[in-house]
Amino acid sequence: MNERRAGALPYRVVALDDGYASYDQEIRLLGEAGASFEVQPCRAQEEAALRTVRGADVVLVRESPIPRRVIDAMDRCKAIVRYGIGVDNIDLVAARERGIVVANVPDYGTDEVSTQTVALALSVVRRLQLHDAEVRSGRWSTGVLKPMYRLRGRTLGLIGFGRIARMTHEKFAGFGFGRVLVNDPHAELPPGLEAASVDDICREVDMLSLHVPLTAQTRHLIDARRLALMRPTAILVNTSRGGLVDLDALHCALTEGRILGAGLDVFEQEPPDPAHPIFALDNVAVSNHIGWYSEEAMRELQRKTAEEAVRILRGEPPRHWVNR
Ligand code: NAD
């Protein structure tokens, strides 16, 4: 049924996943663009998705799979917009063949991920895991448990210098790093930052933070060979993608004292195996891929997803077109 009821809004936008506390931004922004908005959670049920996408002008999706069969059932859909970055749940080729735009929102939560990077880094620098456990266990020692080092005058390394790395650099600026080395073939560096190879960064930095996407080229970017280049006082922070780091090699390097510590928000396998020996180390700070989150970031994501849908309904190109 492609026709619209008389008096009804000209467009219909559906979200295939629920889970947000409020959808007031979607309702308002899409309503202003002449679209009705419904949340029709399909809970990964293909049959439910097939029914829901019929008659929809734009489909919003979080984690529900959108395979070719669901795309084939889209009879008037202009676009699928993903709440977030990853689009691996959507058959991009099938969508392109049908002339359906797939767009995502890669630029929400930049502030949060950069803060998470600094939080994990500082937690390792000040050995918070170790000292926290001491106090909670009733031990109280004012002596040195394990050596800690001042950041001022040391060298920071950033691999990838996009949105999150730039904001991380801004936030680290107050700690007085003496040098900042960067590897990003596509980025123009502001004055004072030095371009360097990944190997040179590994050799020279005291704090290494990863901000590149995971690709075939960047998988295990930090492996046993590169960990062996690093200083024994160096700290590795990864808030980007778990696959960038060989976790077993990192565990070895940490237990053998070849680097000082690590802060990890992301893991190659999520959720990671809680029995992995890396979780027994007190020089490792971890979090559960929560870097992106704050209440503000979540609202930013919902607003940007709705704005992308509005642009497409108005016949404008989306800001982040994934399957062009
Ligand atoms: P971005 O696209 O703005 O920046 C990525 C940068 O990496 C670009 O400047 C690009 O030129 C560079 N790059 C790509 N391949 C490279 C390579 N082989 N070597 C060196 N540089 C390379 O992305 P962003 O918004 O800064 O996000 C960075 C990463 O953070 C994302 O890829 C994503 O995996 C991760 N992320 C994590 C969370 C979280 O919750 N922990 C949230 C959002 C994003």
Side-chain angles (χ1 to χ4, degrees):
M1 223 351 222
N2 288 352
E3 285 145 40
R4 304 271 118 180
R5 274 177 292 117
L9 289 168
Y11 303 119
R12 174 171 169 254
V13 176
V14 292
L16 294 189
D17 304 286
D18 57 354
Y20 295 123
S22 158
Y23 288 85
D24 59 300
Q25 298 180 104
E26 287 89 334
I27 293 165
R28 179 175 55 78
L29 291 165
L30 291 163
E32 285 166 7
S36 65
F37 174 71
E38 301 148 44
V39 181
Q40 297 276 2
C42 294
R43 317 238 185 270
Q45 300 298 312
E46 200 167 303
E47 295 307 318
L50 286 174
R51 280 192 302 276
T52 304
V53 300
R54 280 195 196 105
D57 296 276
V58 176
V59 171
L60 310 186
V61 64
R62 278 169 52 161
E63 47 285 308
S64 273
I66 308 201
R68 182 176 287 274
R69 209 168 145 241
V70 174
I71 287 171
D72 284 344
M74 296 177 172
D75 51 354
R76 52 179 291 140
C77 187
K78 293 179 180 56
I80 302 163
V81 187
R82 162 85 162 99
Y83 280 107
I85 300 174
V87 286
D88 43 298
N89 53 329
I90 304 165
D91 187 331
L92 299 180
V93 174
R96 194 174 49 227
E97 283 169 15
R98 293 282 320 282
I100 297 171
V101 166
V102 177
N104 68 350
V105 183
D107 57 349
Y108 73 102
T110 304
D111 195 42
E112 287 71 15
V113 183
S114 57
T115 296
Q116 189 81 4
T117 306
V118 175
L120 288 168
L122 296 183
S123 175
V124 181
V125 169
R126 298 307 304 163
R127 292 195 182 274
L128 290 188
Q129 286 61 39
L130 173 68
H131 297 113
D132 179 284
E134 281 290 299
V135 176
R136 288 174 200 269
S137 70
R139 288 189 295 274
W140 185 266
S141 161
T142 51
V144 173
L145 298 177
K146 287 189 183 170
M148 300 197 280
Y149 302 94
R150 180 183 284 177
L151 287 181
R152 188 162 300 280
R154 289 183 173 264
T155 301
L156 170 66
L158 300 167
I159 303 184
F161 198 64
R163 284 176 289 259
I164 294 171
R166 283 167 201 273
M167 207 174 265
T168 301
H169 174 242
E170 264 177 42
K171 290 178 183 175
F172 267 134
F175 289 94
F177 281 99
R179 293 174 73 202
V180 181
L181 306 187
V182 178
N183 180 272
D184 188 329
H186 309 293
E188 230 176 82
L189 303 189
L193 276 64
E194 303 168 47
S197 71
V198 174
D199 281 3
D200 283 346
I201 288 180
C202 288
R203 272 187 208 101
E204 293 182 40
V205 301
D206 304 285
M207 175 72 69
L208 173 56
S209 194
L210 308 181
H211 300 286
V212 285
L214 178 63
T215 61
Q217 192 200 349
T218 60
R219 187 172 175 273
H220 288 190
L221 180 79
I222 302 301
D223 58 5
R225 185 186 71 78
R226 286 202 164 122
L227 285 161
L229 300 176
M230 290 173 70
R231 295 178 169 179
T233 51
I235 291 167
L236 171 70
V237 181
N238 185 14
T239 56
S240 197
R241 282 293 178 268
L244 298 176
V245 177
D246 180 338
L247 197 65
D248 295 333
L250 176 63
H251 172 254
C252 264
L254 289 163
T255 48
E256 291 170 9
R258 281 187 278 116
I259 70 168
L260 188 139
L264 307 171
D265 184 49
V266 286
F267 296 88
E268 190 158 16
Q269 180 197 317
E270 292 183 356
D273 177 0
H276 194 286
I278 202 151
F279 296 117
L281 303 180
D282 64 20
N283 51 346
V284 177
V286 292
S287 50
N288 49 338
H289 203 149
I290 198 71
W292 64 274
Y293 166 72
S294 73
E295 287 297 308
E296 290 86 348
M298 203 151 66
R299 283 190 66 76
E300 182 185 3
L301 172 60
Q302 289 184 263
R303 174 176 56 75
K304 287 184 167 173
T305 303
E307 284 170 350
E308 196 73 314
V310 166
R311 265 187 287 277
I312 292 158
L313 288 174
R314 291 197 171 131
E316 297 163 21
R319 278 179 61 214
H320 300 287
W321 189 341
V322 183
N323 68 335
R324 195 190 321 226

